[in-house]
Amino acid sequence: MNGKVSIPVLLLLSALLVGCASSAERQARREQIDKRVETHVMLGASYLQRGQLDVAKKELEIALKESPNDSQANNIMAVFQWRLKNLDEAERLFRRALDSDEKNPSAQHNYGTFLCDRGRLDEAIRYFDAAATNQLYPYAAEVNLNAGVCLMKKPLPSAAEKYFREALRINPKLPGALYQMAKISLDSGNRLPARGFIERYFQAADDTPEALLLAVKIERALKNKNAEASYALRLRNKFPNSPETEKLHGISGPGKR
């Protein structure tokens, strides 16, 4: 050996260097595509939330053209198709989203909500449960709320209550869960807890006709005429033409005009 590197070895080293460079370049291109897809999906979701459907569709189509199997792109496009009532296409896209990433909690949550809306309640709960167990998912409280609302359609209030309580453990100010717990408590004869939940609701959210009518019923059950009349007045003043205000006609005493 004279210390010189043979030509075959030099060629091999060159090939290895080219291979490493090609691999790095492919990885860099993949990362660039992923970033572009993520940006378009975020824009599409934002436009969809604001009701700008044409722009939302354009952004999501760009994302799917770049990466047809991207889980989140298919997930948000599924929500878009659901919004348009293209239910078969929405389901196909939800399934593709979960085929691409079976642990995507956003897709699990959205698909669960979709299934519940279509009356497929048991299937929906399975997807809600899967999303709720993902500790990195920031909407675990909302998942539990939606699971509880879904179970109320059966109706299974005792099972639903567990989900509402878990939602409130995660987010004690979640309005939907507070409202549902007030309703369940009143229906089961627990009037004081019902009052507590509805008062917490009004601290966390704006008045709604449904919540104000429920408050009227709670105070009537507690025989607190002043509070009942106060809630009834708020309902009439804020929502004079609502169905809930009309229902006050069927309530005797201070809640009636």
Side-chain angles (χ1 to χ4, degrees):
M1 294 292 291
N2 57 9
K4 293 183 179 180
V5 179
S6 65
I7 290 177
V9 174
L10 287 174
L11 291 174
L12 178 60
L13 289 173
S14 297
L16 287 171
L17 290 173
V18 170
C20 290
S22 298
S23 177
E25 288 170 0
R26 286 196 298 272
Q27 179 65 24
R29 284 197 297 271
R30 183 69 256 172
E31 289 176 358
Q32 290 174 354
I33 291 172
D34 289 344
K35 287 180 181 179
R36 289 200 301 269
V37 169
E38 182 180 5
T39 298
H40 287 298
V41 171
M42 290 176 64
L43 286 170
S46 179
Y47 287 126
L48 179 58
Q49 191 172 31
R50 299 204 298 262
Q52 296 176 256
L53 301 186
D54 289 343
V55 190
K57 182 182 180 183
K58 180 179 178 181
E59 293 292 342
L60 294 171
E61 285 177 341
I62 293 172
L64 287 169
K65 184 176 181 180
E66 287 262 24
S67 184
N69 292 318
D70 183 83
S71 181
Q72 197 64 352
N74 280 284
N75 173 33
I76 304 303
M77 181 61 94
V79 175
F80 174 84
Q81 295 295 340
W82 181 16
R83 178 84 172 263
L84 297 182
K85 301 190 185 304
N86 297 328
L87 302 182
D88 290 343
E89 179 64 4
E91 176 142 17
R92 184 185 72 81
L93 289 163
F94 277 130
R95 289 188 176 279
R96 179 188 282 182
L98 289 166
D99 284 343
S100 297
D101 181 2
E102 65 179 6
K103 295 184 179 180
N104 179 342
S106 175
Q108 291 167 337
H109 188 181
N110 288 333
Y111 190 38
T113 306
F114 173 82
L115 291 169
C116 183
D117 185 64
R118 301 201 69 188
R120 293 156 62 182
L121 308 183
D122 292 334
E123 290 179 78
I125 295 300
R126 288 199 296 272
Y127 283 99
F128 286 139
D129 285 343
T133 58
N134 189 319
Q135 296 182 354
L136 298 178
Y137 188 49
Y139 300 105
E142 288 78 5
V143 173
N144 280 283
L145 170 60
N146 288 337
V149 170
C150 199
L151 285 168
M152 290 294 285
K153 292 183 177 182
K154 280 190 174 249
L156 289 174
S158 60
E161 181 176 345
K162 295 177 183 178
Y163 285 96
F164 296 140
R165 288 192 180 277
E166 177 62 11
L168 290 172
R169 185 192 67 79
I170 298 167
N171 179 2
K173 296 182 178 181
L174 189 63
L178 290 167
Y179 173 85
Q180 293 292 341
M181 282 303 304
K183 189 173 184 302
I184 286 175
S185 297
L186 179 63
D187 290 344
S188 60
N190 297 315
R191 299 165 185 172
L192 284 174
R195 173 190 277 170
F197 283 118
I198 203 65
E199 286 177 348
R200 286 169 60 190
Y201 171 89
F202 289 124
Q203 291 170 2
D206 294 332
D207 288 356
T208 65
E210 297 84 0
L212 286 169
L213 182 61
L214 179 57
V216 169
K217 292 177 179 179
I218 290 169
E219 295 303 334
R220 166 154 288 278
L222 288 166
K223 303 186 186 307
N224 188 331
K225 294 183 178 181
N226 289 335
E228 179 191 348
S230 176
Y231 282 123
L233 183 62
R234 275 164 66 177
L235 177 54
R236 288 197 194 96
N237 288 344
K238 289 191 172 185
F239 309 100
N241 299 316
S242 69
E244 287 75 16
T245 298
E246 287 299 314
K247 290 177 182 178
L248 289 176
H249 287 291
I251 301 177
S252 61
K256 182 178 178 181
R257 287 195 270 198

